[in-house]
Amino acid sequence: ALTFTGGAASAQSETGSLLDEIQARGVLRVGTTGDYYPMTFREVGEEEFIGHQIDAAREMAKDLGVEVEFVTTDWKTMITGIQAGRYDIAMSGTSMSLSRAKVVGMSIPWGINGFVPIILKQNADKFTSWDDLNSPDVTAGVTLGTTMEDYIRAELPNAQVRSVESPGNGWQEVLAGRSDYTVTTLVEASGLQERYDQIQMIFPDQARSNLPMAFLVPIDDQIWLNYVNNWVFLKLTAGYFDELNETWGVVLKE
């Protein structure tokens, strides 16, 4: 039976799962940040979301036989948005972590991300290995409070660090010539070097850390999580994500 509460439709089924509710509602609600090129973003002056994760969301909705509705969220409130029922799934290029596993359900990974340095293309001959980055002669730009800042301070402790507050970020310091390099993810680095001719990632075949990329769902809805897991597995097997990565220039770890 379909019940209406406060103008919003929800499905009352034997399972009580979002899988039933989404199909009854006819809409898949997707939380996305719109600020992570090429995963999810909006062109200047445009309202419509585009990107790798946006295409994946549209594909999932098509396979469910429903429409898709994008709900704007941000990184700080992405999980609380799921917990509050603002959307059914978050698709924004998120990575898996044990801390997130305590509070939200995560799908099987659709790809493995990792950390790489990015530099100005004109400095490509300056660095031949990760060891060259761990030197007091070079400056690393970092955004305060990020996992990239933690990585640089822990793994490249000899480098000088130039910190910036969000919404500033480390790669902007590189682009402006105020830092020699920063460390970011393969996903962001591949997008940045596509968007800015001056930027180049280095050592992509030596990406550090393993960051599985996953979609986020409510922690207590195993039926919906099972569907999402099966969807990811079948799309991986069919080569859908390989094609999607190629379309958006996304580089991931092998």
Side-chain angles (χ1 to χ4, degrees), residues 114-218:
F115 289 137
V116 290
I118 55 174
I119 62 171
L120 287 178
K121 191 177 294 184
Q122 67 192 44
N123 295 331
D125 296 335
K126 188 174 179 180
F127 305 104
T128 59
S129 71
W130 278 90
D131 289 340
D132 293 340
L133 303 170
N134 191 27
S135 166
D137 297 329
V138 296
T139 301
V142 299
T143 309
L144 288 171
T146 62
T147 55
M148 284 74 94
E149 179 195 13
D150 295 340
Y151 181 85
I152 288 173
R153 292 190 184 279
E155 303 297 329
L156 304 165
N158 295 324
Q160 297 184 56
V161 173
R162 181 181 175 89
S163 302
V164 294
E165 291 270 10
S166 181
N169 53 60
W171 65 262
Q172 288 176 330
E173 293 300 295
V174 173
L175 193 59
R178 293 186 290 265
S179 297
D180 297 298
Y181 74 91
T182 190
V183 170
T184 187
T185 62
L186 274 164
V187 166
E188 184 171 45
S190 58
L192 287 171
Q193 70 177 16
E194 181 179 323
R195 182 162 267 198
Y196 300 101
D197 289 340
Q198 309 98 304
I199 285 181
Q200 177 179 325
M201 81 167 89
I202 52 176
F203 319 139
D205 57 338
Q206 300 173 42
R208 299 284 182 88
S209 300
N210 290 303
L211 306 170
M213 310 292 284
F215 305 128
L216 310 183
V217 298

Side-chain angles (χ1 to χ4, degrees), residues 9-76:
S10 63
Q12 300 296 319
S13 68
E14 291 182 4
T15 65
S17 171
L18 276 172
L19 179 59
D20 299 304
E21 183 175 334
I22 291 161
Q23 292 174 97
R25 189 196 306 136
V27 176
L28 173 68
R29 302 170 306 167
V30 178
T32 195
T33 61
D35 65 351
Y36 187 14
Y37 184 91
M39 293 283 103
T40 166
F41 64 102
R42 287 181 279 202
E43 296 289 6
V44 176
E46 298 292 331
E47 293 188 4
E48 185 177 357
F49 289 105
I50 56 176
H52 180 287
Q53 299 283 274
I54 303 306
D55 285 357
R58 294 188 188 281
E59 182 77 1
M60 181 181 288
K62 183 185 75 173
D63 290 337
L64 282 163
V66 300
E67 301 297 316
V68 64
E69 175 189 335
F70 294 104
V71 181
T72 305
T73 185
D74 58 47
W75 296 100
K76 291 185 293 185

